[in-house]
Amino acid sequence: MNKKIQKLDETVVNRIAAGEIVVRPCAAIKELVENSLDAGSHTIQIHVKQGGLKSIEIRDDGCGISKVDLPLVCERFATSKLKTFDDLYHLNTYGFRGEALASLSYAGHVKIISKIADSQCAYVCEYEDGKIRPSTSIKPCAGTNGTLIVIEDLFYNNPIRLKMMKSSSEEYTRMVDCVMKMALRNTHVSFTLKRDTQIEPDVYTNGKDTTILQNMKMLYGADMVKDMYETTINENDTPYKFQCKACFTGTQYSNSSKVSSSSMTFILFINGRLVDCQPLKKAIQQMYAVLINKQTCPFVYLDLIMDPTTLDVNIHPSKNEVRFLHADPIIVAIVQAIEHIIVAKSAKQTTTTTQLTFHMTPTSMTLIPPTPKEPTETDPKPKKTSLDSTNSNAKKPFATNLDPSRTVRTSSRDQKLDKHRYHNSSVSIPKKIAQSTSFVSPLASITFPRQIKLTSIELLRRSIDEECDADLLNIIRNFVYVGTIDGQSSLIQHDTQLYLVHTRHLSQELFYQLCLYHFGNMGTISLEPEPPSIEDLIRLETNNEEVIEYVVDLLKERREMLEDYFSFRLSSTDPLRLETLPILLDTYVPNLDYLPQYLLRLSTEINWNDEHECFRTFADEISKFYSYRMQIYSEVDGDSEEKQHWAIEHLLYHAFKTMLVPSKHLRQAFVKLTEVQQLYKVFERC
């Protein structure tokens, strides 16, 4: 049956087109922020409710919209930024299609309040389907210079699109990411973003002509900026003229403590417009994959300026994607420039530390390196403790005829207490840890020749026991090590559950506790053949002479205390040199590539004015420095990936099992992957 071709109703056409531009609430935010920037705003305030689905309010102090322009403001293809097609190649604005507000009026209810500088009052108008809403008109009202746009009930007439929105919190997270990127480049504009009824904003910049790095520190945190490099790539002498300002992290940066995503953060502006360029992003990812560990998530910001006549911004209505001439040579030039700087900086940072050798002098410790034993098969009774079980300590009768899916097969390399010898006194591992507030760390049973009776240290040790998580403790004490994933994470089995465990998180907590219990009784790691200069080490992290001088003077002043309590010995002659570091775990040496950063943080992160806080913050910083980070393999030193993985299993995870007292915040380091029962269901279906 032949169906007659007919022209779609204009309203249907416009609603279809609106769906391409306003895909989700964060797309609406991007379009509205770009309009505010085009209006010359210096302050942009955004307030959203229910992830933008209920309402979006954006207020700016730009030039405003005159009363005569208000009837056209929500009509499709009505714009003040483009007159002829050739103007596309000479754009100096973000918007140019005249579709954003029109699309929003087809997807939600729009209200605009605007005032220009020459007007005595503001005017308010409501819109629906690209036109002024019936039964309403343009009315005068009170208002300040600029524009307030309110979008309510987004996608109220598109139930399928509305159901596709997973959650209001996820949509809001996308908004935060978008606004942070826009705020990063526009340093002259003050941005504020908050949601629902909260008072404190989630995104804030002061807009006082700060630099990109200052905005980056404000938005993304100070830790990232410490390993951030800047460069300007200028290719004006080539046929494909362009300039690119790049800010990117090096090999020392790791955001594993905060970040949930394992991908690179890539922010690209081309001629001031926030866009995406997959070929450029993939080329940079491939470059980083060779230089850094897989678990490190680099941050790259590029601000690319090129000839507008070589740039096509008219690829998609959302304006997120662009194409440009000479793409391949431009991408190669940018990637090579970034790679050259990262390699040069990494070589400089490791020049001092990688040439050092070590001599360990223990104090009251038996240093016997662990040696693997012959494989044995064990079949212990199953335990019922897991991260997601609140009644894990209830006793269950042991049945002789268990369902196969309930049995536990342990590794042939199961850890035994006699596998390693850590201290002169052995530490027993209980098979079942009861819920108790009187738990005492195994480290407390160690006897040192020097007794420390400081109240602050006693309180810090006691807090470790009080914050113990009994469920995690059962897992830690009774797990079976399965294997290393990539040096940063490992698999362990407890009962019938399989967990992915973040090694660095656990090691940081372990070294914090070891620092407090070995307080005043630490062995030493001597740096040989010549102790490095403190000034030279800090200069690898910063070139600020005032900061360098301050750190050196501070360490000189605290020299006696550092050596007495933490085996952190400094030379008594000039230049000031670092002679020893403390031993916290037998045969374990931290990654010395992070030594310059650690020394600098001793001057900025330690509270030297209060005894309790001083020892707590010092233990916290030393634990971050000693926490496990895989080092670059050196065949000359006989190092290898297999050797480091062996050390993770037999040194670190054995120490976790015998000494670590896990607190509740370590739950984020455990990810339950599966359990035997679920695997049996999978195989049964097969």
Side-chain angles (χ1 to χ4, degrees), residues 575-587:
L576 188 68
R577 296 183 178 277
L578 178 61
E579 296 181 348
T580 66
L581 289 170
I583 291 179
L584 295 182
L585 185 64
D586 297 4
T587 71

Side-chain angles (χ1 to χ4, degrees), residues 95-108:
F96 57 87
R97 293 175 180 274
E99 288 188 289
L101 284 173
S103 299
L104 287 170
S105 71
Y106 281 98

Side-chain angles (χ1 to χ4, degrees), residues 501-637:
V501 183
H502 197 287
T503 304
R504 185 182 174 192
H505 285 177
L506 265 66
S507 66
Q508 183 173 327
E509 182 70 17
L510 173 68
F511 288 121
Y512 174 81
Q513 297 176 14
L514 287 172
C515 182
L516 293 179
Y517 278 97
H518 287 68
F519 186 89
N521 291 280
M522 300 179 188
T524 59
I525 303 174
S526 300
L527 305 182
E528 300 174 353
E530 181 181 5
S533 165
I534 295 291
E535 181 177 340
D536 291 342
L537 287 172
I538 299 174
R539 202 174 292 280
L540 296 175
E541 192 68 21
T542 178
N543 292 321
N544 190 316
E545 296 297 333
E546 292 183 1
V547 173
I548 295 173
E549 182 180 358
Y550 172 75
V551 175
V552 172
D553 291 342
L554 177 66
L555 294 179
K556 281 183 179 179
E557 181 182 352
R558 308 289 180 178
R559 180 193 292 133
E560 293 184 3
M561 185 198 76
L562 292 173
E563 181 178 358
D564 186 31
Y565 290 152
F566 302 105
S567 297
F568 191 92
R569 187 166 68 240
L570 302 169
S571 66
S572 57
T573 58
D574 289 329
L576 188 68
R577 296 183 178 277
L578 178 61
E579 296 181 348
T580 66
L581 289 170
I583 291 179
L584 295 182
L585 185 64
D586 297 4
T587 71
Y588 181 86
V589 178
N591 189 336
L592 295 185
D593 290 346
Y594 295 88
L595 182 57
Q597 182 186 82
Y598 168 62
L599 293 174
L600 183 61
R601 289 178 65 88
L602 290 183
S603 64
T604 60
E605 306 299 328
I606 306 299
N607 184 345
W608 296 101
N609 299 319
D610 179 80
E611 179 182 303
H612 181 275
E613 282 302 297
C614 175
F615 294 150
R616 185 190 65 80
T617 53
F618 195 97
D620 188 48
E621 287 304 316
I622 205 171
S623 68
K624 291 177 181 177
F625 172 49
Y626 275 70
S627 63
Y628 183 76
R629 298 180 177 99
M630 289 196 72
Q631 304 183 32
I632 299 175
Y633 307 130
S634 174
E635 297 298 336
V636 176
D637 299 332

Side-chain angles (χ1 to χ4, degrees), residues 141-155:
C141 66
T144 57
N145 290 344
T147 303
L148 169 64
I149 299 179
V150 181
I151 314 293
E152 294 182 328
D153 303 324
L154 199 59
F155 305 128

Side-chain angles (χ1 to χ4, degrees), residues 291-325:
L291 300 177
I292 63 176
N293 187 276
K294 293 179 181 179
Q295 289 297 106
T296 302
C297 307
F299 183 100
V300 179
Y301 165 87
L302 300 178
D303 191 355
L304 186 59
I305 305 297
M306 59 175 56
D307 185 354
T309 61
T310 65
L311 182 67
D312 187 0
V313 297
N314 195 30
I315 303 298
H316 191 272
S318 65
K319 305 189 292 290
N320 285 333
E321 184 180 354
V322 297
R323 295 176 185 171
F324 47 90
L325 295 177

Side-chain angles (χ1 to χ4, degrees), residues 213-227:
L213 286 183
Q214 288 172 333
N215 258 17
M216 199 173 290
K217 182 177 181 180
M218 194 180 307
L219 293 167
Y220 293 94
D223 287 342
M224 184 180 66
V225 179
K226 290 179 180 179
D227 190 41

Side-chain angles (χ1 to χ4, degrees), residues 326-422:
H326 313 297
D328 290 341
I330 289 176
I331 290 173
V332 170
I334 293 174
V335 173
Q336 287 181 347
I338 294 176
E339 182 178 17
H340 175 75
I341 292 175
I342 292 178
V343 172
K345 294 289 186 180
S346 299
K348 180 182 176 184
Q349 287 178 330
T350 57
T351 297
T352 302
T353 57
T354 55
Q355 293 178 352
L356 297 173
T357 56
F358 320 107
H359 177 70
M360 297 190 178
T361 305
T363 299
S364 301
M365 291 190 286
T366 303
L367 294 177
I368 301 179
T371 54
K373 283 196 165 190
E374 293 297 324
T376 57
E377 293 290 340
T378 59
D379 189 16
K381 296 180 181 180
K383 306 169 185 64
K384 295 295 296 176
T385 300
S386 65
L387 284 174
D388 49 7
S389 175
T390 56
N391 298 320
S392 57
N393 294 322
K395 294 184 178 180
K396 300 286 184 179
F398 181 76
T400 55
N401 297 320
L402 285 177
D403 187 294
S405 68
R406 303 297 302 171
T407 60
V408 183
R409 174 172 294 179
T410 60
S411 170
S412 61
R413 299 168 64 92
D414 194 13
Q415 303 279 7
K416 294 291 189 300
L417 284 178
D418 58 355
K419 195 172 189 179
H420 310 296
R421 290 175 56 197
Y422 177 68

